Amino acid sequence: MSKAGELNFQNDMLKHLLANGWLLGKAEHYNRELALYPEDLLGFVKETQDEQWHKFCALYPSNPEQHFLERVASQLNKTDPNAASKDMRTFGTLGVLRHELRHRGTRFSLCQFKPEHDLNPDTLARYAKNRCRVVPEVVYSPWASQEHLELTGSKAKAWRIDLVLFVNGLPVVTLELKSEFKQAVHNAIKQYKTTRFAIDPTTKKPEPLLTFKRGALVHFAVSQYEVYMATRLEGAATYFLPFNKGTTAGGAGNDVPADLNQYATDYLWNEVLLPSNLLAILGHFVHLQIEEKEDWEGRKYKKESLIFPRYHQWDVVNKLVNAARSEGTGHKYLIQHSAGSGKSNSIAWVAHQLSSIYNMQGNKQFNSVIVVTDRTVLDDQLQDTINQFEHVDGAVGRINNKEGDGSKSEKLASALENSQPIIIVTIQTFPYVLRAIENSVSLKTRSYAIIADEAHSSQTGSTARQLKEVLMIEARADGEDELSSEDILDAAVASRKASKNLSYFAFTATPKTKTLELFGRLPKPAEQPSKTNKPEAYHVYSMRQAIEEGF
């Protein structure tokens, strides 16, 4: 492979990153031992938190900068790659970006995420001072020095990473680039698996930049044609997920642009890695997920994964939230995402971000976001995911008979009255939610976002009969009483006049015709539905793409 081609690719990407607001850094200014870019970390803190910095200097008059860098590094190092404990979430890169760093009476924010509304000019001014820096050709190992060899008799190889991205001096992204031919992305993946180790094989010491949760949060393998990503480097066992847009024909990969000067993967640096977009991903998307697993002997253990959105997830969440903001309430959106699309996370992100939309007056656009699902897995995951962003208890409430005191209907009434930000209900409870809103003088003037997860579950027997009465569905002549979750949702919505206060976001893998008619959008909205103007989904992640991507 020609090194020249790869260098051109890297320089083109750099040129775009710098034009988009990234600062260019130098590899020699990077601190390998601490895996920090000190100039930006200290610069951001001194510029935005002058009073706290002076307090810190009074504690360490002889070398406050070095003390501060070491204090930050110790907070990063305290994360345990194997600990699946929720209490540990203030440590590591994500913890330090999101939570205040406290030390002997001083407190520092190491990143300012964009505020939900523009009512606080100080917060906006601090947001504008975040430093996003790209550093090319980073030799990252602290153990690759002559001193280390003389001290210990061993030395790590001086591997270089093509590009490392930092936010306020903290490493967040690494990128390995390969170019020239179609399969190049697999060479970048191979490079990560065979030479980018979290523990250096020669010295057996951890590499701070590449340690899970402690160093960069995501690693991108990039070619001109495709992008893959991983959040945990584990040698040959490293799991890379596709980060491609999909083709116009609905397949995996990316369309090759007609313009020869454009790369098929330029959405990575021109969209996803724009400073404002990357900061939003760090603030509102990336989270830790703990799952219970069993080994081959049946012993239970917990595995923690860092979740970074795939392209279609990031895209759908942004489009829905922006549409809700610009179109206001009272609209319907059909999201057709095949199995394997990561719907649970997409729903959690949409719920969290819709609940945080404010209008120009500084009031919330939706009094509550109601999530309709029958999957208990989603219940637990939603609560845990959203609590990581909210930092407050009680943002998410579940309406079922197991939790809290009182009947389901009392809990529901109280959650709606108190405008609980996110309310999770089962599909059977959903028709009663609509009825409660309609029958209350105060609730019917409020606005709600309803997110429906149409997993394929169904109701039978007496539950189905009761629901049919509520939904005013005719009993079938053959006495068949089964109701699918899609039937319930469709009937609940169809039997009511469209309300200007209710917005619907329906997630389904394979929509029925009725669902498309109710929630789909006409390509030509001004014209009547016809054979050439059929309702379509608002966003699609096709079954073909899922299969081709191996899901």
Side-chain angles (χ1 to χ4, degrees):
M1 176 202 295
S2 107
K3 267 292 178 207
E6 203 170 299
L7 195 62
N8 287 341
F9 182 37
Q10 183 167 319
N11 287 338
D12 284 346
M13 193 190 292
L14 267 175
K15 195 168 70 193
H16 284 282
L17 285 167
L18 300 180
N20 291 338
W22 285 85
L23 305 164
L24 182 62
K26 293 187 171 162
E28 58 270 26
H29 292 176
Y30 169 68
N31 182 321
R32 295 190 213 173
E33 284 73 29
L34 305 179
L36 295 169
Y37 200 85
E39 173 192 331
D40 287 350
L41 179 54
L42 295 165
F44 176 75
V45 164
K46 290 178 185 179
E47 203 180 337
T48 59
Q49 294 149 86
D50 183 54
E51 191 183 323
Q52 293 295 318
W53 178 251
H54 278 98
K55 272 172 130 178
F56 191 87
C57 291
L59 293 171
Y60 301 102
S62 62
N63 192 349
E65 273 98 351
Q66 189 57 28
H67 276 286
F68 188 76
L69 294 172
E70 284 168 6
R71 175 66 188 89
V72 172
S74 86
Q75 193 76 357
L76 292 169
N77 289 335
K78 275 182 198 158
T79 191
D80 177 347
N82 304 312
S85 148
K86 294 177 185 176
D87 309 332
M88 302 287 282
R89 287 181 175 162
T90 52
F91 303 131
T93 305
L94 194 59
V96 166
L97 284 167
R98 284 211 188 130
H99 298 266
E100 275 190 336
L101 179 80
R102 299 181 179 202
H103 183 73
R104 294 178 60 191
T106 61
R107 51 205 297 174
F108 295 95
S109 289
L110 301 190
C111 180
Q112 177 59 62
F113 295 110
K114 191 174 184 182
E116 307 299 350
H117 47 71
D118 300 347
L119 301 178
N120 186 337
D122 295 348
T123 317
L124 278 171
R126 192 188 281 192
Y127 172 70
K129 292 200 161 88
N130 283 315
R131 299 175 178 214
C132 295
R133 192 174 294 272
V134 52
V135 185
E137 303 298 333
V138 175
V139 177
Y140 56 86
S141 181
W143 326 118
S145 64
Q146 194 56 36
E147 298 96 297
H148 192 267
L149 180 64
E150 285 161 14
L151 270 172
T152 64
S154 68
K155 177 182 165 189
K157 287 193 171 157
W159 298 113
R160 280 166 198 237
I161 289 183
D162 290 337
L163 298 175
V164 182
L165 306 184
F166 296 85
V167 169
N168 300 333
L170 295 158
V172 287
V173 179
T174 73
L175 300 107
E176 286 293 2
L177 318 181
K178 291 281 176 268
S179 78
E180 293 297 282
F181 53 89
K182 273 279 202 236
Q183 293 306 311
V185 75
H186 297 292
N187 287 353
I189 290 174
K190 186 177 166 195
Q191 189 166 25
Y192 272 117
K193 288 184 171 186
T194 57
T195 62
R196 305 288 178 261
F197 298 112
I199 292 175
D200 172 58
T202 313
T203 61
K204 306 285 185 282
K205 290 183 175 175
E207 296 288 3
L209 179 65
L210 304 182
T211 298
F212 177 59
K213 297 193 292 188
R214 154 57 179 104
L217 298 170
V218 65
H219 309 278
F220 285 110
V222 190
S223 78
Q224 289 135 310
Y225 301 101
E226 289 191 271
V227 182
Y228 279 75
M229 65 161 182
T231 54
R232 185 176 198 150
L233 297 178
E234 302 181 278
T238 305
Y239 182 56
F240 275 89
L241 279 164
F243 194 84
N244 298 311
K245 287 178 100 160
T247 62
T248 7
N254 296 301
D255 286 322
V256 178
D259 179 353
L260 292 175
N261 298 315
Q262 197 190 345
Y263 295 108
T265 49
D266 66 0
Y267 59 89
L268 179 66
W269 52 95
N270 286 333
E271 289 178 40
V272 181
L273 297 178
L274 286 177
S276 58
N277 286 344
L278 181 61
L279 283 163
I281 289 172
L282 296 172
H284 298 293
F285 283 88
V286 180
H287 64 273
L288 289 158
Q289 187 172 302
I290 298 170
E291 292 168 293
E292 279 227 338
K293 303 239 177 189
E294 257 184 40
D295 64 14
W296 61 279
E297 288 177 319
R299 280 187 302 240
K300 286 199 163 90
Y301 67 97
K302 286 183 176 176
K303 182 168 168 60
E304 192 163 36
S305 320
L306 188 83
I307 306 294
F308 191 96
R310 283 152 64 195
Y311 182 84
H312 67 271
Q313 294 176 308
W314 176 77
D315 188 51
V316 74
V317 175
N318 281 337
K319 284 188 172 144
L320 290 174
V321 173
N322 290 334
R325 213 177 251 127
S326 61
E327 295 179 0
T329 54
H331 295 277
K332 293 174 185 165
Y333 307 86
L334 179 63
I335 301 94
Q336 185 179 338
H337 280 198
S338 170
S341 69
K343 262 204 300 277
S344 301
N345 279 319
S346 301
I347 288 172
W349 287 320
V350 171
H352 156 62
Q353 294 185 36
L354 288 177
S355 77
S356 313
I357 300 180
Y358 286 80
N359 60 21
M360 300 299 279
Q361 293 73 46
N363 300 319
K364 278 196 170 190
Q365 180 161 323
F366 298 107
N367 292 75
S368 297
V369 174
I370 297 162
V371 181
V372 187
T373 179
D374 273 350
R375 291 189 286 168
T376 45
V377 177
L378 183 60
D379 252 16
D380 297 335
Q381 201 174 321
L382 257 173
Q383 286 204 306
D384 187 36
T385 302
I386 291 162
N387 289 339
Q388 286 185 52
F389 303 124
E390 297 287 356
H391 299 326
V392 286
D393 288 337
V396 184
R398 276 190 240 212
I399 307 299
N400 60 28
N401 291 329
K402 295 188 195 94
E403 304 210 4
D405 300 323
S407 71
K408 238 184 192 176
S409 51
E410 284 165 359
K411 285 182 226 168
L412 179 60
S414 142
L416 290 168
E417 279 297 342
N418 298 325
S419 292
Q420 183 154 32
I422 294 164
I423 302 168
I424 304 175
V425 299
T426 60
I427 201 94
Q428 305 98 288
T429 311
F430 173 61
Y432 300 93
V433 173
L434 291 183
R435 198 186 256 185
I437 293 170
E438 281 168 3
N439 294 344
S440 156
V441 180
S442 64
L443 296 182
K444 81 164 72 145
T445 59
R446 299 184 189 178
S447 297
Y448 297 96
I450 293 165
I451 302 175
D453 164 37
E454 298 186 14
H456 291 285
S457 63
S458 55
Q459 306 301 324
T460 53
S462 61
T463 316
R465 281 195 294 281
Q466 283 170 355
L467 280 167
K468 283 186 175 175
E469 283 168 29
V470 175
L471 297 169
M472 296 172 284
I473 303 176
E474 296 295 312
R476 284 192 14 206
D478 58 10
E480 176 56 67
D481 261 343
E482 187 172 55
L483 270 182
S484 76
S485 56
E486 210 163 337
D487 296 333
I488 297 170
L489 185 79
D490 290 353
V493 176
S495 64
R496 288 167 164 77
K497 290 202 299 284
S499 161
K500 282 273 170 274
N501 299 359
L502 301 181
S503 292
Y504 289 94
F505 303 81
F507 282 78
T508 178
T510 43
K512 293 180 179 175
T513 315
K514 178 83 176 161
T515 312
L516 270 166
E517 284 169 9
L518 271 172
F519 296 101
R521 294 198 163 196
L522 295 171
K524 299 174 214 154
E527 295 176 21
Q528 285 299 310
S530 64
K531 279 183 180 167
T532 54
N533 193 29
K534 288 181 179 168
E536 294 174 346
Y538 183 79
H539 197 277
V540 177
Y541 171 77
S542 70
M543 192 174 284
R544 178 181 158 191
Q545 186 175 346
I547 291 167
E548 287 179 12
E549 289 186 341
F551 291 102

